[in-house]
Structure formats: structure tokens, C-alpha cells
Amino acid sequence: MTNTNNVNELVQLINIKDGIIGEKRQRPVMSQLLRTAAAESIVLLENNGVLPLKSDSKVSVFGRSQLDYFYVGYGSGGEVNPPYVVNMLEGLKQKSVQLYQPLVEVYEDYSRHHQVDDGVWGQWPRFLEEMPVSDELITQVREHSDVAILVIGRAAGEDRENILEAGSYYLTEKEEALIKKVTTQFEKVVLIINSGNVIDLAWTQVYNFSAILFAWQGGMESGHAIADILLGDVNPSAKLPDTIARHYEDYPSAKQFGHEEFVEYVEDIYVGYRYFETFHPEKILYPFGYGLSYTEFEIESNFSLEGPQVTLQTSVTNIGKVAGKQVVQVYYQAPQGQLGKPSRNLIRFAKTILLDPNTTQEIEFTFDLNELASYDDRGITGHPFSYVLEAGDYHFFVGTGLDNLEAVDSYYLENLVLVENLSQISAPVEKFDRLVAEVKDGKLVESYQPVTLQHISVKERIDQELETLSEVEDQQVFLDTGKTMSEIIQSLSAIELDAITRGEGKMNSPFGPKGNAGMLGGTIESLRDKGIPSVITTDGPAGIRLNYYASLLPCGTALASTWDLALIQRIGEEFGKELVELGSDIILAPGMNIHRNPLGGRNFEYFSEDPYLTGKMAASYVKGVQSHNVSTCPKHFACNNQETNRNYNDSRISERALREIYLKPFEICVKESQPHAIMTAYNKINGVWAHYHYDLVTEVLRKEWDFQGCIMTDWWMRMASDPNCPQIENNAYRVRAQVDILMPGGQSFEIKESDSSLIQSLNHPDGLTLKEAQRSALNVLKLIQKIKG
């Protein structure tokens, strides 16, 4: 979805808040899972012993977000109609702490008289104006309190970024005044950050906080979860999925973010902790993988390597006084060689069960040495466009975060190993310099080298593909039609081939539950007459975005902070049941783009700055949801790392960074969980819109990764002609790339009908071939078979 001149009409079209249908049904299993996930996503950043609170503590809570909590971000990935929400104050009221009632009443009265206005699309509030607190009130409160809790809230949303201004990335004057008053008057102050995105935390080093919690946006069970953590009913076990730097300017993407026309990914593979750990560890405020607990753990590890297989045996023992969970993280450091490498790379992780004091859990990690390979997009190793293991020492580390790693062993590789020989794909076509690691005087320093430009013709690859393209052949009987897929496809006219490769043309299809994102499959009557049913899509990933009540999940960043793959899969399983109950077939989720920059407007939807953590989280979610004959649709493929001018912006990126960072999570998800569908991004990647990107969709996704599913556009696409073939444009152009479906099907938001570009191209001797159109039709039928079969 995108802003247009008709924004008011668009707002009405996607409004799922009016006319909510059905009862506010309670789903006890889902509620408990979400409460667990929300609690296990809360990162304990600091604690001098004030937490957990004693059951009889006298507590005063400051900050408007205690009541007007940000449960999730805004936009298509956030707005859901939950059957209930629990704010932080409600959660604390159900505990045994003694809340100072006069302060509670003051905030409740302020909230009643200052109702939250969520605004319209793309103009949502990033923060809520804080209530002024007088000196007299705070003195009164102090006399009746043991502990002060202070909540700072932030929200972000689709179609715009966070900004380097007060009320977004930085504090407002009123917030700063409140913080100063509270920390001056109270000896014990617990700070809670309620935000889906990383914000500036440099000020936390100035004021005297006894404990700091990053609570993210925990969905409808947020208040219960925070109260569980504060009182110690749940022991914090979350770990940061992102690096929190000391200052915004410290992030390597700071100067190349939010540009209108194009963004040069100058930091290359050095995203997040890969940059900070390699070049500037002193600029880290809180490291990736960091998070405290109310207990202590001891980890012992044994390393072995047989052939290319690495095995790490770890023993995790709770040596503290209370039960808790711990996340064990495994990193490696590859030799710098000729390519240059980050100093740390996450390769495995696991979360323990709840360990009682003096109990131990054994965890075994195994991986292939080939997983440590780097991509050579320059040919400097003698193997251009290949994954290689360079000779030298490979070091392995185990710990509970980047701040707490122990070297467990190393392996010396005598000679370079060619792991996988590929071909150049989607390399830059415009010159720019990228960051590389260079050893000078025995120290790694930042250096810059020109990117390798594209020199292999995409047209040649397409021509070779067309020469070998075979007739569509699939003898599987399609649903209950009694006909094979091949027979149905052979019966499709040009009009029907066009119709099956696009959605119905609009959102909120009458064929599905109210508020749906659109319909595909049987988009016209003649297709339905041939037994091709309608398939309904629904926005995600924080829940099922319909005019019905549905569970509101924690935001993507919160889920990643749990580092708990089994929990995410269980949530996916329950979510899949809910999707079936509400009559939707495809959830447009999970969001998988990398947190390249903390200002990214949709970061809350996505998981992490790390591709491995992102891929594993997504795969677990997909496995869970798709266990119920419904489909996921991971998005946005690829490099949708900013919202600014997202429909036209060009992500200019080296092939190495593309493969190692931005495609890697999708690769993990595809190979481990086989999602039925994938959604392309709005933006361009090295000059080509994602929905026309033959290199990424056909060469990488389908050929290299053997993806067997269906690929759809994000909602609407940019009209364009294939520069290699003037007779192929728009729908024909995307079908040639094997982007099978245009959603929701119309030319644009204003025009609900499709154009005739595919049909016209089929009728031209130099246009799209019938085999290509039928191939996409087969991909659509296979998707429907998986869902409806």
C-alpha cells in the first residue's frame, strides 16, 4: 500500500476499525503463548538489584504510556482488532504491589481527557504528549513510594521513517523534564522503553536509573508480560536482536539512509554488530545478543571437527538462586584473507528450557564448515562469483551475547576451498565505493574500494532460459475437478491466463471476510467455472488484519528478542488455526527485511539486523502457520530497508552484501520451511524494480534455491518496459521474471482494472511466450492446491 493523491479514499478502503464483526472471542492457548512471548521479549538492560520488585513494594508509575500503551506499530503490518489489550497499569493492578492510587487517578483522568488520535495513513503519532507533573505532586508521591517506574513510549509506521527529532528518535522536552524530576526525587527508578524501533538511549547514561527494560511492543498481552517481569514471575531471558549504538551518527548507514532517488549501501556486509565489532566496539552502548537475567549461568563447551562437520557440545548450568532461561550463542571469526571479513558472525543459537538452580541442560550445535564461506564478487581469490573458504584460522566463540563470549577452539584451513560456484547476479550498474576491512600495522581499519559492476547480460540469461523452456507438464489432479493441472492450463485462453496471473483488482474482495487485502485464483467467472476457487489474502504480520477480532501478536522485533524458535513455531501453529477460522488463506507475513538503520519506519515489523537470526525466526513462523493448510507470504523480497520514496528508490548494493546479508534470511527461510508464497518489494535493486527482477526471482530464488512456490507483487506495481525487449512491459515483464501474480490486480490504486499488456505481448512474435504465461499459471495452481487440496 502507498500514499496517493486519493489518500482519503485509500484510508477508507483499508480501514478495518469500523463495523467490526463477531464476538470478542477469547483464545486461551493463544493468549498464554502471547503472554509468554511478550515477557520473553523484554530485554533487561540494567539492574542494580531493584528488580524483581518485592510483592509488597509501594510503586508509583510515571509516563503516559502506562495507560496509552503502544502495543504494535502502525500500517498494514500493525493494525489489528484485538479482542482485548492489557496496558501496563492494568497488568500491575493484578499483582500484589501497592500502586499509589492518587497518582494513578491523575494519569487516568489525563488519559480520559486527552484521547489518542491515531491520525490517518502515514501521519500516525510517533509519541504521545506527556502529562506535566508538578513539583508538589512528585513530592507527595515520593513520600508514599519505594520505587518509581517511568515509561517512555514510541511508535513507528509504514510509508514513512522515524526522524532525528524530539518525539521520534530523541526525547521531547516534557519527557526530559519528567525524567529529571523522577530521577532526582527517587532513589530507585525503573525505566521502561515501549518502542518497536531502537531509539536514542545516550541519555540513559546521564540519569540515575536503577534498572532499564526495553519492552518493545508486546501485542495484546503487553501489560501482563511487563508485570510478570517486574515482579519476577517470569525471569528475563530476552536478548537484543540489534546493536544499540551510543549515537545515531555511529551507525555505518547513517549518511546513506532516507535519500529520495537512491541509497548506496556503502557499509556493504558490515551491518550492525558486524561493523561495530570489527571496527568500533567503543561505539556500542548495548551489544547485539545482550540481555541480563535475575539469575546467573555457567557455560562449558567442547569443540570437535570431523571433515567439514563442526560439533559444539555445551553444558548450561543455572548457578544462581532462581529459575531462568538462557540463550546460548555461537559465533565465528574467519580469516581476513583477501576478501576481508567481519570479526564476529552468528552461526548458531539455542534457548534453554526453564532451568531450576543447580540444574544443567546439554545442548549440541552442529554445522558444516562450508556455512562459513564468503562470497567473492570480485574474483580476487581466483573464483569470481563463488562462495569460498579462504585459508587461515577459523575461531569459534560461545557465550550469552557479544559482550560475554569465550573462545572455545579454532581450526586452521591450509588451502582455499571452493564451496559453491555461481554466476554474477544483480550487481550494481552505477559506480560507488564500499567499505572493506583492511589490515594495517596489524589492526583492522576501514577502507573503501569500488564495487564490482554488472557485466553479465541479463538478456543472454533470459534467451538461454527461453531456448530450454519446456511445455508445462503436471499430471497432478487439480482439487476435485477431475482434470490434471496441465489439462486446465492448456484450456486457458489468453484472457484467462491474464486473469489467473493477477488478483481480482481491488482490496476487500466480496469473496472473503470483510477487510481482506484482496483475492487471487478464480478472479473471473470463467476461471471459477473451471474449478479454480478464490484465495483470500490478509495483511500481517502482527495479526489477521480484518474487520473481525483477532489476536494481536508482539511486533517482529519483540519476537526476535525471545530467540526462542520453538515458541515462535507454536505461536505460528495457533495463528494458523485462527487464520482458518476467520476465512483467510494467505497471511502476508512474516516481514523479513534487515534492520539496516534504526530509523527504518517498518523495523518493528521485521526481526533483526542479523540475517541468520532473521531467517531462523521466519522459518519457525512459516512452519507453524503452514501446518494448517494456509499459506504464509514472507516479504519484502528484497532490500526494502527504508520507506522514503519506497516505490521508486533504488537500493544500490554490492552482490556480496546482497547475498551475504539481505538475501540470506530469505534463503534460510525458503530452504528450511518452504513457504508457499513470497512477496516482492516496492523498491528497485540495482536499477530494476523487485517485481521485474529476473536475476533475483528466477536465477536466485527459483534456480539456486529451488523455490517451488508462487511469487506475488506487493500491492500494485510501477509500470515499465523491459529494456531488453520493447514488446514486453508491465504484466508481461513481471511474468517473464516469474513474478506470478500482480496484487491486488488493478493497474494502480485509482484504476481497479488490469491493463492488457500481457495479452498484447502474447500476441506479438517478440513478446511473452505462451510457455512463460502457462508456467506462472501453474505456479498459481500449485499454490491453490497446497491451500485448498
Side-chain angles (χ1 to χ4, degrees):
M1 281 162 278
T2 179
N3 281 327
T4 71
N5 294 329
N6 300 312
V7 66
N8 291 330
E9 184 182 349
L10 175 61
V11 169
Q12 292 302 313
L13 183 64
I14 62 177
N15 179 23
I16 50 92
K17 299 296 182 183
D18 293 339
I20 304 173
I21 302 167
E23 59 181 333
K24 296 183 179 181
R25 180 183 171 188
Q26 298 289 321
R27 294 177 170 86
V29 175
M30 178 63 105
S31 292
Q32 185 55 54
L33 283 170
L34 297 186
R35 182 170 181 167
T36 298
E40 292 197 16
S41 76
I42 297 172
V43 185
L44 180 61
L45 297 177
E46 303 283 356
N47 186 24
N48 68 3
V50 68
L51 296 180
L53 299 174
K54 294 181 174 61
S55 60
D56 59 350
S57 295
K58 297 177 181 178
V59 176
S60 293
V61 186
F62 296 88
R64 183 174 177 178
S65 291
Q66 64 180 291
L67 285 160
D68 300 319
Y69 200 81
F70 288 117
Y71 300 97
V72 73
Y74 290 98
S76 61
E79 296 174 337
V80 176
N81 294 313
Y84 65 89
V85 290
V86 182
N87 65 37
M88 182 179 153
L89 192 59
E90 290 169 332
L92 285 172
K93 283 181 177 180
Q94 297 181 34
K95 298 294 184 180
S96 57
V97 294
Q98 301 177 46
L99 294 169
Y100 185 56
Q101 194 59 30
L103 182 63
V104 169
E105 292 172 359
V106 169
Y107 269 105
E108 288 177 338
D109 183 68
Y110 183 86
S111 181
R112 276 193 301 271
H113 290 89
H114 296 79
Q115 294 291 312
V116 176
D117 181 3
D118 284 332
V120 297
W121 185 267
Q123 300 176 42
W124 308 287
R126 293 185 170 100
F127 75 105
L128 303 177
E129 196 78 20
E130 275 298 342
M131 181 189 81
V133 177
S134 67
D135 293 337
E136 293 77 15
L137 177 59
I138 204 164
T139 299
Q140 174 189 341
V141 172
R142 182 193 60 191
E143 293 174 353
H144 296 84
S145 305
D146 300 326
V147 179
I149 299 175
L150 178 60
V151 193
I152 299 295
R154 287 291 184 275
E158 183 179 359
D159 222 352
R160 69 170 186 181
E161 317 295 1
N162 274 2
I163 53 178
L164 294 173
E165 294 182 9
S168 184
Y169 192 70
Y170 298 116
L171 293 176
T172 67
E173 289 184 7
K174 287 185 178 180
E175 289 170 338
E176 199 148 11
L178 178 62
I179 291 167
K180 187 174 182 179
K181 284 184 178 182
V182 173
T183 55
T184 300
Q185 293 290 333
F186 288 84
E187 181 182 350
K188 298 177 180 179
V189 182
V190 177
L191 172 67
I192 296 176
I193 306 296
N194 162 217
S195 174
N197 295 48
V198 169
I199 62 172
D200 174 56
L201 292 185
W203 50 272
T204 63
Q205 309 301 295
V206 177
Y207 299 101
N208 184 29
F209 295 109
S210 305
I212 303 175
L213 294 166
F214 209 125
W216 303 111
Q217 294 165 334
M220 66 189 195
E221 284 285 339
S222 292
H224 283 148
I226 293 173
D228 288 341
I229 291 289
L230 290 173
L231 273 295
D233 295 328
V234 175
N235 191 341
S237 61
K239 302 292 183 179
L240 286 176
D242 289 337
T243 305
I244 301 179
R246 294 188 178 277
H247 306 285
Y248 173 77
E249 294 75 18
D250 295 333
Y251 290 98
S253 60
K255 293 181 180 179
Q256 277 287 338
F257 178 80
H259 298 182
E260 289 281 339
E261 183 181 350
F262 62 87
V263 171
E264 295 172 345
Y265 286 45
V266 295
E267 73 281 3
D268 208 56
I269 62 171
Y270 298 96
V271 179
Y273 72 86
R274 286 171 166 79
Y275 170 79
F276 291 106
E277 293 291 328
T278 305
F279 302 112
H280 292 291
E282 78 281 359
K283 294 183 178 181
I284 299 172
L285 185 59
Y286 293 108
F288 175 85
Y290 171 83
L292 302 176
S293 171
Y294 295 154
T295 190
E296 296 181 10
F297 296 89
E298 183 177 78
I299 299 176
E300 295 182 357
S301 301
N302 292 310
F303 174 91
S304 65
L305 190 148
E306 294 184 12
Q309 190 81 5
V310 178
T311 301
L312 277 170
Q313 299 281 354
T314 61
S315 297
V316 186
T317 303
N318 184 345
I319 60 174
K321 297 180 179 180
V322 296
K325 297 180 180 180
Q326 183 57 278
V327 178
V328 183
Q329 302 167 39
V330 183
Y331 295 82
Y332 72 91
Q333 179 182 7
Q336 287 301 311
Q338 294 177 289
L339 293 173
K341 320 284 192 328
S343 293
R344 297 289 182 273
N345 302 269
L346 181 69
I347 188 66
R348 288 291 185 274
F349 65 89
K351 194 165 193 175
T352 69
I353 60 173
L354 186 67
L355 295 175
D356 289 324
N358 301 314
T359 59
T360 299
Q361 181 179 348
E362 303 289 337
I363 300 175
E364 181 177 276
F365 298 101
T366 60
F367 53 91
D368 196 299
L369 198 64
N370 289 341
E371 293 181 51
L372 282 55
S374 299
Y375 189 78
D376 182 0
D377 61 5
R378 292 186 287 164
I380 195 171
T381 67
H383 299 281
F385 318 126
S386 299
Y387 278 102
V388 297
L389 288 169
E390 292 197 84
D393 286 311
Y394 288 79
H395 300 278
F396 300 91
F397 308 85
V398 176
T400 59
L402 279 171
D403 64 312
N404 183 25
L405 292 180
E406 290 189 7
V408 293
D409 215 323
S410 63
Y411 173 75
Y412 180 73
L413 183 66
E414 292 187 8
N415 300 302
L416 180 143
V417 175
L418 174 62
V419 174
E420 188 176 15
N421 185 27
L422 298 170
S423 60
Q424 187 185 49
I425 58 95
S426 189
V429 294
E430 302 287 346
K431 296 178 180 179
F432 67 93
D433 290 342
R434 59 162 169 194
L435 176 62
V436 295
E438 189 174 350
V439 180
K440 289 186 179 180
D441 300 324
K443 181 181 178 182
L444 277 180
V445 297
E446 297 176 73
S447 183
Y448 289 86
Q449 294 179 350
V451 292
T452 303
L453 298 180
Q454 179 80 26
H455 69 267
I456 296 178
S457 168
V458 176
K459 185 178 187 304
E460 289 180 10
R461 282 202 286 267
I462 294 174
D463 290 343
Q464 291 172 3
E465 170 78 5
L466 292 178
E467 288 176 5
T468 59
L469 191 61
S470 58
E471 299 286 347
V472 170
E473 185 67 30
D474 194 307
Q475 297 308 311
Q476 184 180 12
V477 175
F478 181 68
L479 300 180
D480 57 358
T481 63
K483 295 183 178 180
T484 67
M485 292 194 194
S486 291
E487 289 172 331
I488 289 178
I489 289 171
Q490 293 298 331
S491 75
L492 299 180
S493 66
I495 291 175
E496 290 169 329
L497 282 171
D498 172 60
I500 202 172
T501 58
R502 56 174 173 80
E504 184 186 12
K506 59 185 179 180
M507 298 176 64
N508 199 13
S509 168
F511 287 87
K514 188 178 178 183
N516 67 78
M519 182 264 272
L520 58 91
T523 57
I524 59 176
E525 187 174 356
S526 65
L527 290 177
R528 296 191 289 275
D529 289 343
K530 293 182 177 182
I532 300 173
S534 60
V535 172
I536 302 300
T537 65
T538 306
D539 272 326
I544 304 169
R545 193 172 175 275
L546 294 168
N547 284 84
Y548 293 76
Y549 292 104
S551 300
L552 177 60
L553 278 61
C555 71
T557 311
L559 293 177
S561 297
T562 70
W563 293 60
D564 192 332
L565 300 179
L567 175 61
I568 303 307
Q569 184 165 338
R570 278 288 295 118
I571 290 172
E573 290 168 1
E574 290 301 314
F575 188 81
K577 293 178 184 177
E578 197 170 325
L579 203 63
V580 172
E581 291 173 7
L582 292 179
S584 188
D585 301 301
I586 302 175
I587 187 71
L588 305 176
M592 296 182 58
N593 295 110
I594 293 295
H595 294 173
R596 176 178 177 256
N597 184 283
L599 298 183
R602 297 183 82 171
N603 280 2
F604 73 94
E605 289 188 51
Y606 308 143
F607 293 116
S608 171
E609 69 185 28
D610 181 73
Y612 182 74
L613 178 60
T614 295
K616 296 295 287 188
M617 284 286 156
S620 293
Y621 175 92
V622 169
K623 289 175 188 175
V625 173
Q626 291 189 174
S627 63
H628 294 287
N629 289 331
V630 287
S631 174
T632 58
C633 185
K635 60 186 184 182
H636 307 88
F637 189 76
C639 299
N640 183 187
N641 303 113
Q642 73 171 44
E643 292 298 284
T644 302
N645 200 29
R646 59 182 180 166
N647 295 96
Y648 298 93
N649 194 272
D650 185 12
S651 296
R652 297 180 179 176
I653 181 172
S654 78
E655 190 190 356
R656 182 182 182 188
L658 185 62
R659 286 186 179 274
E660 291 190 17
I661 303 296
Y662 299 96
L663 297 184
K664 184 60 68 174
F666 288 96
E667 180 180 3
I668 293 169
C669 182
V670 165
K671 291 181 177 179
E672 293 192 5
S673 63
Q674 293 80 50
H676 300 335
I678 284 178
M679 180 192 293
T680 59
Y682 280 132
N683 53 280
K684 297 177 182 178
I685 303 97
N686 288 327
V688 181
W689 271 294
H691 46 261
Y692 298 132
H693 219 300
Y694 180 90
D695 265 2
L696 293 186
V697 175
T698 293
E699 292 293 330
V700 174
L701 190 53
R702 295 200 184 276
K703 291 184 179 180
E704 290 185 16
W705 301 349
D706 194 31
F707 177 66
Q708 298 296 312
C710 194
I711 301 171
M712 66 180 71
T713 69
D714 202 339
W715 266 224
W716 304 288
M717 69 179 187
R718 303 303 99 195
M719 300 300 155
S721 297
D722 185 345
N724 298 306
C725 184
Q727 302 304 324
I728 294 181
E729 61 180 10
N730 304 344
N731 286 305
Y733 188 9
R734 70 167 169 83
V735 168
R736 170 150 288 181
Q738 287 196 78
V739 177
D740 304 304
I741 307 173
L742 167 66
M743 291 298 295
Q747 289 187 57
S748 65
F749 168 71
E750 298 92 343
I751 303 173
K752 308 300 188 296
E753 295 75 25
S754 175
D755 70 5
S756 59
S757 55
L758 188 145
I759 297 172
Q760 290 176 352
S761 187
L762 283 173
N763 292 327
H764 195 283
D766 296 323
L768 189 76
T769 67
L770 182 61
K771 292 178 182 178
E772 291 173 282
Q774 291 177 334
R775 178 177 61 182
S776 277
L778 178 60
N779 290 333
V780 176
L781 291 186
K782 286 181 176 179
L783 170 66
I784 298 172
Q785 185 89 333
K786 291 171 185 174
I787 297 171
K788 302 290 188 179

